[in-house]
Amino acid sequence: MASQKSQKTVMVTGASSGFGLETARRFAEKGHKVIVAARRKERLEQLKAELEQEFGQCCVYVLPMDVTSEEQIDSMIDSLPEDFSEIDILVNNAGLALGLEPAHKANLDDWHRMVDTNIKGLYLMTRKLLPGMVERKLGHIINIGSIAGNYAYPGGNAYGATKAFVKQFTRNLRADLLGTQVRVTNIEPGLAETEFSLVRFGGDKDKADDVYKGTEPLTAEDIAEAVIWAAEQPQHVNINSIELMPTSQAWASLAIDKVQG
């Protein structure tokens, strides 16, 4: 457990499931104060109750909000109690993929939603909390990217592009924040089994299950461990990025369209 001196205040977005939930759990297990943020308040309240039962009266604060709304971000974060107002670590986890159709068949509303959540939500949260971190000369922004931001695949179109934004935004933050003591990290998971595919396929469980059939994918716990490891490095060490895949996944060969005849 963290000592009072080393105890940090951590905010995790998208904390109602998957990577976010497990990341919040691991920080709470280590004795840190955790702000769990997501749209689904009932899931956050359930998580808070579970963490308090498992780890005792650990400090968990529920913050129901939509990261795509600048007004909600401003009002909810400005209303944080004093004990939670100085956030040391922001885990920008809120994000989603929708659809796997080729670009010319993709649903434009899905593209809008992915851009709003994966890009706009991430930079709004960062911009809101970053000034305080810089002023205190202490802080860590941990973004949850994806290997989709590094390697293209059919149907990845807008989703992959949003994660490429996360990668470059993280790098540019590192350049901007030189000399401030604020650290920035990008976590880039490969195939991982959470609610991710269920959301991507609009709740079609058969399609979602088929993605992982015959594989041993990463788990939410694996990603949470990567986040914790990056966060626990000494202050003079900045983990720029962590790219991780299950052993059952690797890069594919380049596709070639061969003309017949």
Side-chain angles (χ1 to χ4, degrees):
M1 298 290 285
S3 66
Q4 188 168 0
K5 183 178 180 181
S6 63
Q7 185 186 54
K8 297 184 183 300
T9 300
V10 183
M11 183 169 187
V12 182
T13 66
S16 59
S17 66
F19 300 162
L21 186 151
E22 290 301 328
T23 297
R25 180 183 300 279
R26 290 291 286 115
F27 275 115
E29 180 183 8
K30 293 214 170 244
H32 299 293
K33 295 186 292 184
V34 184
I35 302 166
V36 289
R39 290 177 294 115
R40 295 177 287 188
K41 182 179 180 181
E42 67 285 352
R43 283 206 179 187
L44 297 179
E45 294 288 2
Q46 181 181 353
L47 175 60
K48 175 181 169 67
E50 289 174 359
L51 293 178
E52 288 181 345
Q53 182 177 8
E54 189 170 353
F55 305 121
Q57 292 299 313
C58 59
C59 297
V60 179
Y61 190 86
V62 168
L63 200 67
M65 69 175 189
D66 182 350
V67 297
T68 68
S69 169
E70 187 173 0
E71 290 183 0
Q72 282 193 35
I73 290 173
D74 285 342
S75 63
M76 296 302 290
I77 292 180
D78 289 345
S79 69
L80 286 171
E82 186 176 353
D83 286 351
F84 288 89
S85 61
E86 292 189 355
I87 296 168
D88 301 300
I89 301 172
L90 168 63
V91 182
N92 275 316
N93 168 73
L96 76 169
L98 296 171
L100 199 59
E101 295 80 12
H104 57 287
K105 295 181 180 179
N107 184 317
L108 196 56
D109 286 339
D110 287 348
W111 283 11
H112 290 321
R113 189 175 169 198
M114 285 186 281
V115 168
D116 283 348
T117 307
N118 302 356
I119 295 179
K120 181 181 177 182
L122 182 141
Y123 74 62
L124 285 176
M125 288 298 304
T126 301
R127 183 61 181 82
K128 179 66 177 178
L129 297 181
L130 202 51
M133 293 181 177
V134 171
E135 183 179 353
R136 295 188 298 273
K137 289 191 174 294
L138 183 68
H140 198 166
I141 304 289
I142 302 178
N143 296 325
I144 305 299
S146 169
I147 64 167
N150 303 331
Y151 315 109
Y153 62 87
N157 42 70
Y159 173 70
T162 65
K163 292 305 184 176
F165 170 89
V166 174
K167 183 184 190 75
Q168 194 61 24
F169 187 63
T170 303
R171 289 177 169 180
N172 286 342
L173 284 175
R174 284 280 291 129
D176 286 347
L177 294 171
L178 186 65
T180 68
Q181 297 301 307
V182 177
R183 302 188 294 177
V184 192
T185 300
N186 187 27
I187 308 291
E188 303 171 298
L191 184 70
E193 187 169 9
T194 62
E195 292 183 2
F196 178 86
S197 289
L198 195 63
V199 171
R200 173 169 239 169
F201 296 120
D204 188 325
K205 190 175 186 303
D206 290 336
K207 273 190 177 182
D209 289 345
D210 192 55
V211 172
Y212 310 106
K213 191 175 297 182
T215 73
E216 187 175 354
L218 299 173
T219 66
E221 291 87 349
D222 295 328
I223 308 309
E225 285 299 322
V227 172
I228 291 289
W229 182 79
E232 288 186 337
Q233 294 305 301
Q235 176 60 34
H236 72 283
V237 177
N238 188 96
I239 304 301
N240 297 328
S241 63
I242 301 176
E243 180 184 291
L244 61 163
M245 296 180 183
T247 307
S248 59
Q249 183 182 35
W251 305 278
S253 58
L254 294 174
I256 300 174
D257 179 23
K258 293 186 177 181
V259 178
Q260 301 299 317

